[in-house]
Amino acid sequence: MSPPISISEAKTSYPIFAATFAHNHAGYLVVGGGGGPGRSGVGNKITAFDVSSRAPKLEPSAELELSRDEDSVTCLANLATKDGLVLYAGLNSSPADRDANKNEHFRSFELEYPKKKQARKNEKVTSQLSEAKISFLSKTSLLKSPESVPAKKDGYQRLLRLSRPKRSANGSKRIGAIASSLAGQENEIVVFNATTSSPKAPGDIIQRISPHHGEEANDLDILEPEDGEFKLVYCTDYSVYTADISYDFSKKKSREKLEPPRSKYSVPFPDVFEKKGRNKIRCVRWLSPSHVLLLSNSPNRTGAELQILRLYGDTMGSITYRKTLPRHIKQATDLDVCVLDADENGAYQIVIGVAGADCSTSIFTIDYKGTAKNSLSGFCHYNTVRDVHPFQITKVVFSPFFSPWTAPNAEKIKQLGPQYLRLASTSLGNTIVVDTMTLQPASNKPRSRFILGALGSRANKFASYLLALIVLLISIMLAQPLVDPEGVWTQALVPESIRNVVNSFNPIEVPIDDARAAAHSAIPEAVREPIARTSHRLRDLLHLHHSDKHKEEGKTKAVIVRADPESDYMVSTEVHDGPEAVIQQHTEAKRWDELNHEERSWWKEKLTSAGAWTVEEGETVLKSIFFGQIGGFVGQMAQEVLNG
């Protein structure tokens, strides 16, 4: 049964390229777009809608028509004011102005919410609402003036992103970033102070970033883990970069010297004998200070997937989880996330919205388990709607969500009403669709945090995990009497598949929730080989057991990696007392040089998916270990428990 979602629709007179929800009034949606400069007959406009009523058909609350000599609106973001919003917009000047090297691409507008006013008629006083209004504030240029003719003609502000607003006693001071497109070697990213209605250069510019080799940023996002401490992430087609920004708003300058962004991930190259190309990264979003969500498209419109990039301090990150999107999504066009409120342990849920090239929208959830664990659960599919729009989806955006318990008058709340989350999608066909979903308390505790998804559905999922766990434990209990007092398997009586799965029941960098972790901890010690377990990457494991100290003491260990051929993520490591011990216990084990071409390709993909190895580390680390596999029926059954 599909989750209950109410759907509202609206239509404009122009194709829509940008959308943003108000942060001080989650029921207000602002969109922008148009036909650009010329005589297309399609105007350039910004339109506001009040979607709080959840009515099937939405009517505009306010609309501003822009010059037809200038470009259409390409991106939008907003700041909250006492009576409405300040809207930031990306909008190129006219072709004539750009030819004269004058492109005031960064615009500011003001949206005034309707106000109550009193009217007297026939000696009776009644309250009425004034109309909402959008008005122009300012225009400026934050990007450097291009020097080349193509950059002047084709370059424009494609991206605009602000740090997420927060409810705090000191208010929410935010920074923003814009990125150019089609400017060739002159593409740049500009980070700016977003506490004013009209940012100006150079006073409000925090940092200028020139992407490597003139590449343009496909997407960017900003996170603020602590007040004034920001993290920027941006992606190009094949790489992900991050930068730390410490900013003093009172002094309008950085607290520390700003370093260039650091490369954190590069899409692996396919094997030289394979014809498929590299995936292209379309979107990025912060999930936590240590986790970044990537949306990537496969070559030749063959699919799309969500990926979790785990960051490791100053070193390169690695992909620790992948979610292949349904087959009907040949390519994805946009992504957005909404981070819901956290509990006292820092645990929270993230809601993910994905737009497909087939005009579908899909919603997933993922749980962050708190600052102590600093880990994520797997993806959980919530809903997919097909044929949402008649033409390609250009934007998906979530309304912000703040816990009602953090509101200024929260102590006066006697009975809490329904809490909603909205996902708006727009299209080239001038259409807007707003899906409104009801959030649920995560527990029965007072002032519980909120999640998307009923408690009953989670209970059913846990019950399915528990059933699979019982089946696995029964198999282990049946096998346990076949272990002698010294913990050695009775080789002739116990199938190798059972020995293999029990001895290697420890994934590397796999999201394991509480039920799955219980399955792992329930395995008796008596049925385990004396092996060292690790959740580190291969190079860290080798460094640990191949150090100079170990060599001097003659205690250098041998490492074997084993994987389930039916799973992308089930990878385990075992550490033995030298190569002879590996060969004696695992006759199927091979060195890297002993693997054929197909086996090497298979292992590279497996280790990359598990987050144990990246292509940037090279094959040298792989030549220092042995390779084996997990097999058999019990291995498949255990994997089903892990995958839920």
Side-chain angles (χ1 to χ4, degrees):
M1 181 180 296
S2 298
I5 297 178
S6 64
I7 298 177
S8 304
E9 299 179 348
K11 193 172 180 66
T12 63
S13 60
Y14 56 90
I16 304 167
F17 301 110
T20 181
F21 269 104
H23 290 89
N24 58 349
H25 191 320
Y28 255 87
L29 173 69
V30 182
V31 301
R39 300 178 180 178
S40 64
V42 179
N44 304 312
K45 298 180 181 181
I46 296 176
T47 311
F49 294 87
D50 185 352
V51 300
S52 59
S53 65
R54 293 181 289 146
K57 295 295 181 182
L58 301 173
E59 297 296 332
S61 298
E63 188 169 79
L64 176 65
E65 185 161 2
L66 307 172
S67 170
R68 296 199 178 198
D69 294 330
E70 297 186 320
D71 212 341
S72 59
V73 177
T74 57
C75 48
L76 282 170
N78 72 85
L79 298 174
T81 64
K82 181 181 178 181
D83 299 317
L85 299 174
V86 169
L87 296 170
Y88 290 155
L91 195 165
N92 263 6
S93 296
S94 66
D97 286 341
R98 297 204 303 273
D99 289 341
N101 211 20
K102 183 181 181 182
N103 185 9
E104 296 173 306
H105 57 84
F106 192 92
R107 309 294 175 94
S108 296
F109 302 89
E110 182 181 21
L111 168 63
E112 296 180 52
Y113 293 146
K115 297 180 180 179
K116 287 185 178 181
K117 60 181 181 179
Q118 292 184 341
R120 181 180 296 273
K121 185 176 182 181
N122 298 329
E123 299 184 353
K124 291 183 179 181
V125 178
T126 59
S127 295
Q128 297 179 349
L129 283 177
S130 63
E131 294 184 353
K133 180 182 178 182
I134 302 175
S135 56
F136 171 79
L137 288 179
S138 66
K139 57 182 178 180
T140 189
S141 178
L142 299 182
L143 298 168
K144 289 182 178 179
S145 299
E147 297 180 0
S148 65
V149 174
K152 292 179 182 179
K153 181 179 179 181
D154 300 322
Y156 69 101
Q157 177 187 319
R158 177 173 172 266
L159 301 176
L160 167 60
R161 189 81 180 168
L162 302 184
S163 58
R164 300 168 188 172
K166 299 191 301 183
R167 276 183 177 171
S168 65
N170 298 327
S172 181
K173 295 181 179 180
R174 304 162 69 187
I175 67 171
I178 60 173
S180 60
S181 179
L182 299 181
Q185 294 295 322
E186 299 178 64
N187 278 319
E188 67 173 335
I189 297 170
V190 178
V191 184
F192 63 94
N193 176 4
T195 60
T196 173
S197 61
S198 304
K200 302 290 184 182
D204 291 309
I205 302 299
I206 299 174
Q207 186 177 18
R208 292 186 182 273
I209 299 170
S210 298
H212 195 53
H213 295 315
E215 296 175 299
E216 64 180 66
N218 289 340
D219 197 16
L220 51 82
D221 195 22
I222 305 172
L223 183 69
E224 187 183 9
E226 299 178 13
D227 288 348
E229 303 294 328
F230 299 91
K231 289 181 174 290
L232 170 73
V233 62
Y234 72 90
C235 67
T236 59
D237 282 348
Y238 304 112
S239 300
V240 176
Y241 300 85
T242 65
D244 294 328
I245 300 171
S246 180
Y247 191 71
D248 189 329
F249 288 95
S250 62
K251 298 180 180 179
K252 298 187 70 173
K253 68 177 184 178
S254 301
R255 294 192 181 101
E256 301 172 356
K257 180 181 178 181
L258 295 174
E259 301 292 338
R262 299 175 298 277
S263 175
K264 289 298 179 182
Y265 175 69
S266 179
V267 178
F269 284 93
D271 192 274
V272 293
F273 296 100
E274 297 180 1
K275 295 182 179 179
K276 67 177 184 179
R278 302 165 74 187
N279 283 13
K280 287 188 176 182
I281 305 171
R282 176 80 178 187
C283 301
V284 291
R285 288 292 184 273
W286 285 107
L287 302 183
S288 82
S290 302
H291 301 88
V292 178
L293 177 66
L294 310 182
L295 174 64
S296 67
N297 287 319
S298 302
N300 304 317
R301 299 178 67 87
T302 55
E305 67 179 12
L306 295 169
Q307 304 169 338
I308 302 297
L309 174 63
R310 179 68 162 87
L311 303 180
Y312 304 97
D314 294 332
T315 64
M316 291 289 286
S318 61
I319 299 298
T320 58
Y321 205 94
R322 299 175 187 268
K323 171 66 176 179
T324 302
L325 297 181
R327 293 182 179 179
H328 63 84
I329 300 178
K330 303 302 181 183
Q331 274 200 323
T333 59
D334 200 27
L335 166 80
D336 197 27
V337 304
C338 179
V339 177
L340 302 183
D341 58 316
D343 63 14
E344 64 276 7
N345 298 316
Y348 53 81
Q349 186 186 69
I350 304 135
V351 187
I352 302 165
V354 180
D358 62 338
C359 300
S360 67
T361 57
S362 298
I363 299 174
F364 302 88
T365 61
I366 192 169
D367 294 316
Y368 181 70
K369 299 181 181 180
T371 52
K373 294 182 178 180
N374 193 26
S375 62
L376 296 168
S377 70
F379 291 96
C380 181
H381 177 258
Y382 179 78
N383 189 49
T384 295
V385 181
R386 306 282 293 271
D387 301 320
V388 179
H389 295 272
F391 294 95
Q392 179 178 321
I393 296 175
T394 54
K395 193 71 179 174
V396 289
V397 58
F398 278 109
S399 61
F401 179 77
F402 298 102
S403 171
W405 307 119
T406 62
N409 298 320
E411 68 279 356
K412 298 181 180 179
I413 298 177
K414 295 182 179 180
Q415 184 174 1
L416 190 64
Q419 301 297 305
Y420 298 109
L421 179 67
R422 296 176 175 87
L423 176 68
S425 57
T426 62
S427 82
L428 291 174
N430 310 356
T431 52
I432 304 167
V433 174
V434 180
D435 300 337
T436 302
M437 299 154 282
T438 304
L439 300 176
Q440 306 289 339
S443 69
N444 294 322
K445 297 179 181 179
R447 301 199 170 201
S448 167
R449 67 183 178 94
F450 288 86
I451 60 172
L452 181 63
L455 291 171
S457 63
R458 290 195 159 200
N460 293 337
K461 187 174 182 180
F462 180 81
S464 65
Y465 286 151
L466 185 60
L467 179 61
L469 172 61
I470 292 172
V471 174
L472 177 63
L473 290 179
I474 290 174
S475 300
I476 294 173
M477 291 171 63
L478 292 175
Q480 192 171 2
L482 303 177
V483 181
D484 69 16
E486 296 183 358
V488 179
W489 285 100
T490 305
Q491 301 288 334
L493 298 178
V494 182
E496 182 181 5
S497 59
I498 295 181
R499 299 198 306 272
N500 285 346
V501 71
V502 173
N503 289 337
S504 57
F505 207 85
N506 185 58
I508 293 180
E509 289 296 325
V510 179
I512 305 177
D513 60 21
D514 296 338
R516 299 172 187 175
H520 176 256
S521 61
I523 300 176
E525 287 291 337
V527 300
R528 300 184 187 179
E529 292 180 3
I531 63 177
R533 308 290 182 179
T534 181
S535 62
H536 293 179
R537 291 185 289 180
L538 291 179
R539 66 178 183 184
D540 300 327
L541 186 63
L542 288 174
H543 176 74
L544 180 65
H545 294 286
H546 286 198
S547 64
D548 293 339
K549 179 180 178 181
H550 284 90
K551 292 178 181 178
E552 292 175 1
E553 297 175 353
K555 296 180 180 180
T556 300
K557 305 291 186 178
V559 179
I560 179 173
V561 180
R562 305 166 69 192
D564 188 338
E566 301 300 324
S567 166
D568 288 339
Y569 310 111
M570 192 167 181
V571 178
S572 68
T573 59
E574 298 178 12
V575 181
H576 295 267
D577 293 326
E580 296 78 9
V582 174
I583 297 173
Q584 183 178 0
Q585 297 190 37
H586 304 283
T587 56
E588 84 286 356
K590 296 180 181 180
R591 292 273 195 182
W592 182 253
D593 293 336
E594 296 173 337
L595 301 176
N596 60 35
H597 168 73
E598 289 76 13
E599 290 172 331
R600 291 186 185 184
S601 299
W602 185 88
W603 269 109
K604 285 181 179 180
E605 183 175 352
K606 184 73 64 174
L607 294 172
T608 301
S609 298
W613 175 82
T614 62
V615 68
E616 293 83 2
E617 297 177 57
E619 294 186 6
T620 302
V621 65
L622 303 180
K623 295 179 180 179
S624 304
I625 60 178
F626 289 88
F627 296 85
Q629 284 186 359
I630 299 171
F633 171 76
V634 177
Q636 296 178 5
M637 183 171 61
Q639 185 62 28
E640 291 177 1
V641 176
L642 284 173
N643 285 339

